[in-house]
Every structure is written in structure tokens, then in C-alpha cells.
Amino acid sequence: MQLLKNILKSLILITFITFIQLPTASADVLSPGTSRVDYCFQVANLNKYSNYLLIAHIQSANPSLGIYNVILKPGQCERLNGYRQYSNIYAIRKSQVKSQDIIINGNRESLKDFNRRKSQLIPAKNTINPVERLPDRYGIKQVTEVLKITAITPKSLDLKYQEIIYTYQQGNSERKPYQSQDNRPLPSLKHKFNLFNLIIPSISIFGIMLVYRRTKIFRNQN
């Protein structure tokens, strides 16, 4: 009788472990079942505010990565894939920037003497914090967040998250609109048939039923 109980407990434990889903880790070491993803962000309606330059001021928890700024362009998706990178966004009137104030590096541009211009920079409340990792069950390769400017005043830059685009490892994409600024929409689970995931629960369920039946027969005989 004790042997049957032990077998039943083992089968239940195996079934539980098979279906458990590991949460996304917040530590630097990847938890089992999670993978790093590429991340970038862009501002959709820059052309609507053509009198301003929008600047991403990018920093990191790793001092060796340095601090730098990038002038955002229409259609440009700025990557944040370094160690704990994040970005603050600022606007500045184009009339306050001369051509010699812009540093050109390939197809990227940055603002010279950024820190000395703090009085001219209009800050956004948003801090762009990237998605660094996601559970493997989603099968995501790339995450793109799209923001839009809702207003620019002399004192504030109002940015809103508009949507998030998940690109799956197979190459197809999914767009999810933001319903709340505080809640990042999650990707849809892609249901894939996995024979292994079917066999283990089936064996467990069959074993539980068999043990239960034998236990019932044993009780009836006594």
C-alpha cells in the first residue's frame, strides 16, 4: 500500500514539473527557459514636429559602455542591447542648433556639448527601459517599441507608447497596441505540437488512474 502511495506522489510531481512555467529572470544570469532578445525603439511622428530635434541620451549600468546621445530620425529604430542600457529622451528647437553643433558618424548624428545645453533641452518623463529577455515559450527574436509625440511645450516633451512589435524566430511579426502606459503587452503564445510534452502527461495520468484503481480494489477486498 505504501509503495502505491509513493508511486502516486512521484507521478503527480513529474506532471507538475512538466507543466511548470519559469518566470522571466530579473537577474543578470539567464534563468533556464529564457533567452535574450534584440530591442529597439522609435518615435513614429517625428515629421509632425519638424521644428524640433529629438535626442536619445543613452546610459548604462556598465561604465565601460559610456554615455552618449543620438539624434533620432524618422524610421530609425535605436537599439538598446548593452548591459542594463536605458535612454532618456529630450527635444530641442532646431533654431538653437547650428550645423557645427552636430557630430556625424556614418548614418548617425549626435549633439555636441550635450551636457552644456541642459537649459535648452526639453525633457520627456519617459525613461526607455528595454526588454532584455523573454521566456523561450514565446519564441521571440526582436522587440520594437513605437512611441509617438503628443505635445511639446517649452517645459515638457510628452511621449506615449503606441504599440509594441514582436518578431518571432520564424520571421513573422505581431503588433500589440498599448492599452495602458504602465503595462507592456505580452506576445501571444504560439501553440506548437510537441510529442514529448504529450507523452509525459499521458503516462502520468495513466499511472495515476492505474494506482487509484488498484488502491480501490485493495480497499474493497479488505
Side-chain angles (χ1 to χ4, degrees), residues 8-182:
L8 180 60
K9 290 179 181 178
S10 298
L11 291 171
I12 293 173
L13 179 62
I14 291 171
T15 303
F16 176 76
I17 293 174
T18 301
F19 281 100
I20 193 169
Q21 294 178 335
L22 296 172
T24 303
S26 58
D28 298 328
V29 179
L30 287 176
S31 289
T34 65
S35 297
R36 295 189 184 278
V37 295
D38 289 329
Y39 175 89
C40 69
F41 71 93
Q42 58 182 300
V43 179
N45 59 341
L46 286 174
N47 290 331
K48 185 178 178 181
Y49 295 86
S50 57
N51 292 331
Y52 292 88
L53 293 176
L54 247 67
I55 302 169
H57 189 228
I58 298 172
Q59 304 174 64
S60 170
N62 183 354
S64 65
L65 291 179
I67 299 173
Y68 59 96
N69 72 84
V70 177
I71 297 174
L72 301 178
K73 299 178 182 179
Q76 170 190 329
C77 201
E78 185 60 34
R79 298 183 66 191
L80 292 176
N81 288 314
Y83 176 77
R84 292 188 181 179
Q85 277 192 318
Y86 61 94
S87 176
N88 294 312
I89 308 295
Y90 298 87
I92 186 172
R93 284 190 173 275
K94 287 184 177 179
S95 59
Q96 295 176 306
V97 180
K98 299 178 181 179
S99 59
Q100 59 265 30
D101 296 329
I102 296 177
I103 302 171
I104 300 175
N105 184 9
N107 62 346
R108 294 162 65 88
E109 297 179 350
S110 60
L111 185 65
K112 186 186 296 185
D113 298 326
F114 180 86
N115 290 328
R116 296 181 183 179
R117 292 178 172 271
K118 283 296 179 74
S119 61
Q120 299 174 324
L121 296 171
I122 304 170
K125 295 179 180 179
N126 312 62
T127 297
I128 310 298
N129 293 299
V131 180
E132 295 183 350
R133 54 184 69 87
L134 283 171
D136 292 335
R137 63 179 179 269
Y138 291 120
I140 301 299
K141 178 182 179 181
Q142 167 80 35
V143 177
T144 302
E145 283 193 299
V146 181
L147 299 92
K148 65 176 181 179
I149 306 168
T150 56
I152 300 179
T153 69
K155 296 293 184 180
S156 67
L157 165 62
D158 292 331
L159 285 173
K160 299 291 184 185
Y161 286 99
Q162 181 174 319
E163 64 178 355
I164 187 167
I165 305 170
Y166 290 106
T167 302
Y168 292 88
Q169 292 173 357
Q170 297 86 347
N172 55 314
S173 298
E174 176 186 32
R175 293 176 177 267
K176 290 263 186 146
Y178 264 82
Q179 305 297 334
S180 168
Q181 292 296 296
D182 298 326

